[in-house]
Amino acid sequence: MKEVKVGLVGFGFSGATFHAPVIESVQGLTIRKVVSSNPKKVIEQFPKMEVVASIDELLKDREIELVIITTPNEFHFPMAKQALEAGKHVVLEKPFTVSVEEGEELIQIAKNYDRLLSVYHNRRYDNDFLTIQKLIKEEELGTVISYEAHYDRYSEEVHDRWREQDKKGSGILFDLGSHLIDQALTLFGEPEAVYGDVLTQKEEGKTDDYFHLVLHYGKRRVILHAGSLVKKHGPRYQIHGIKGSFVKWGIDPQEEALKKGQLPGDEHWGEDESDQYGVLTKDDHDRVIPTTPGSYQSYYIELHRAICEQSTAPVTAREALTVIKVIELALKSSEEKRLVKWV
């Protein structure tokens, strides 16, 4: 198996939790260098890792083929552009960019340099979403009429981190919203219209911490919702079709497992406890549906194959760009207080 050497830019929560340990668990991918302003943190997790101070220094390493960028959203575009023009394949932490215009330019640059460009929409590999995909593919629900997904949390405090500050690309819609939007687009494709209600609910809030989106698909409605002041969580997913309904509580366990130092491949990785299984209701009968195990490592396994075989990335840049378009339309809808048609 060909070894692909990786350069990781950024070692904050995302880089240290969602990327580095998952990459290290995948055969054929090896992190060669990490860009970080906190070398001690990197060395504690990877004692032999080489830490550099800037992306410029990392890009000088000719052995690095793949650059993974996990910096704050406002730096995604300039760093990805720099890496592509240096002849590297690039993976961006979601969201892709902070505007459609930036995303279009990166796609063109990647095409000009014949480089792979992908975005880490890892929530496609959540156990609950994989289960829902399977149920819909097998037509257990029939034609889906209503799909509702929530990403609710509770925290009154405004934390001193870029995601909660008044910065370009900050806020809950770009952060958690991009996950829910990508999942919906994966299932149903581009909507006909977008309605968005996006606002700040925390007293000291500096960016959006609540959203309620409705994507229109003919008679189907896709509702995507997130709040930061929700103490009692309801179902994470409620899906209703002509043949039946599926309701699922709880959340995929992979994030918590990674925080505890567990790795993909460990026993029971990505599995739900039985009390977290969803319920399918058909013909007036309830049936418990065991959850398909989650698999964040599948993204990087597929990415390695795409690089080695020059095939399609597991998440294409064009797919990720559509997520940004939904976000832009939702913000426009919220500001203008109207339904915005897809153009």
Side-chain angles (χ1 to χ4, degrees):
M1 179 179 286
K2 178 187 173 182
E3 181 185 16
V4 175
K5 292 186 172 63
V6 176
L8 179 61
V9 182
F11 206 74
F13 176 72
S14 178
T17 306
F18 286 112
H19 291 272
V22 177
I23 293 165
E24 289 291 291
S25 74
V26 173
Q27 188 177 1
L29 293 177
T30 304
I31 300 175
R32 181 175 172 86
K33 289 179 181 174
V34 175
V35 177
S36 176
S37 59
N38 188 353
K40 182 180 178 182
K41 180 182 177 182
V42 180
I43 299 304
E44 283 176 354
Q45 191 167 336
F46 299 100
K48 297 181 180 179
M49 185 63 64
E50 183 175 353
V51 184
V52 295
S54 70
I55 188 172
D56 301 278
E57 191 173 347
L58 181 145
L59 294 177
K60 290 176 183 176
D61 190 329
R62 294 185 178 181
E63 290 194 16
I64 291 175
E65 293 182 61
L66 171 64
V67 173
I68 297 164
I69 297 168
T70 71
T71 57
N73 299 343
E74 62 184 316
F75 301 116
H76 284 193
F77 171 75
M79 288 187 169
K81 180 180 179 181
Q82 188 179 355
L84 289 168
E85 291 176 342
K88 312 296 186 183
H89 301 295
V90 172
V91 168
L92 282 160
E93 171 59 38
K94 63 79 206 162
F96 183 19
T97 52
V98 299
S99 72
V100 168
E101 183 181 8
E102 287 185 349
E104 290 280 13
E105 186 173 342
L106 287 182
I107 288 171
Q108 187 58 51
I109 293 170
K111 182 179 179 181
N112 293 345
Y113 284 84
D114 193 24
R115 296 292 87 183
L116 180 147
L117 175 62
S118 182
V119 178
Y120 189 60
H121 276 294
N122 61 310
R123 297 288 175 179
R124 287 191 190 184
Y125 303 90
D126 274 359
N127 63 6
D128 42 22
F129 184 67
L130 292 173
T131 305
I132 289 164
Q133 272 190 303
K134 185 171 183 287
L135 288 172
I136 291 176
K137 184 178 180 181
E138 294 175 352
E139 299 186 348
E140 289 279 9
L141 303 170
T143 301
V144 174
I145 296 301
S146 173
Y147 172 99
E148 183 169 352
H150 281 243
Y151 213 137
D152 294 319
R153 294 177 169 179
Y154 185 84
S155 175
E156 285 185 284
E157 182 183 354
V158 176
H159 299 91
D160 185 22
R161 57 184 183 181
W162 67 265
R163 284 187 178 86
E164 297 185 49
Q165 303 303 310
D166 184 16
K167 293 179 177 291
K168 210 170 182 181
S170 66
I172 198 171
L173 181 58
F174 270 101
D175 185 21
L176 304 182
S178 64
H179 286 310
L180 297 185
I181 294 167
D182 179 68
Q183 289 179 345
L185 295 175
T186 299
L187 291 173
F188 306 115
E190 295 177 355
E192 297 168 1
V194 175
Y195 168 80
D197 184 24
V198 186
L199 65 148
T200 305
Q201 290 188 324
K202 294 183 182 181
E203 288 295 330
E204 304 298 326
K206 299 176 182 178
T207 188
D208 56 278
D209 53 37
Y210 167 97
F211 66 78
H212 185 86
L213 309 187
V214 183
L215 310 187
H216 289 227
Y217 296 85
K219 293 182 179 180
R220 177 188 299 131
R221 292 293 180 265
V222 170
I223 299 164
L224 310 175
H225 182 100
S228 302
L229 297 172
V230 183
K231 280 194 173 183
K232 177 75 172 176
H233 295 182
R236 183 159 166 78
Y237 293 94
Q238 296 183 72
I239 307 166
H240 307 289
I242 297 298
K243 292 182 180 178
S245 297
F246 181 71
V247 178
K248 176 75 170 65
W249 299 68
I251 192 167
D252 177 278
Q254 292 176 92
E255 178 176 345
E256 287 304 313
L258 288 166
K259 287 178 183 176
K260 294 174 183 176
Q262 298 171 23
L263 296 173
D266 287 353
E267 188 177 9
H268 304 303
W269 179 262
E271 294 181 6
D272 264 347
E273 299 291 340
S274 59
D275 62 358
Q276 295 289 297
Y277 291 169
V279 175
L280 174 66
T281 302
K282 288 178 69 174
D283 303 320
D284 298 323
H285 295 289
D286 289 343
R287 176 157 55 101
V288 174
I289 304 295
T291 311
T292 301
S295 181
Y296 290 166
Q297 68 272 26
S298 290
Y299 173 87
Y300 275 115
I301 292 170
E302 293 168 24
L303 184 80
H304 178 269
R305 185 183 303 120
I307 291 172
C308 295
E309 299 178 3
Q310 297 184 332
S311 56
T312 304
V315 178
T316 69
R318 185 62 61 182
E319 289 170 335
L321 183 67
T322 309
V323 174
I324 305 304
K325 182 173 179 178
V326 172
I327 290 173
E328 287 193 349
L329 293 182
L331 290 169
K332 181 178 182 180
S333 170
S334 184
E335 182 179 352
E336 299 179 0
K337 295 179 171 48
R338 67 179 181 90
L339 184 68
V340 179
K341 289 185 178 181
W342 194 265
V343 180

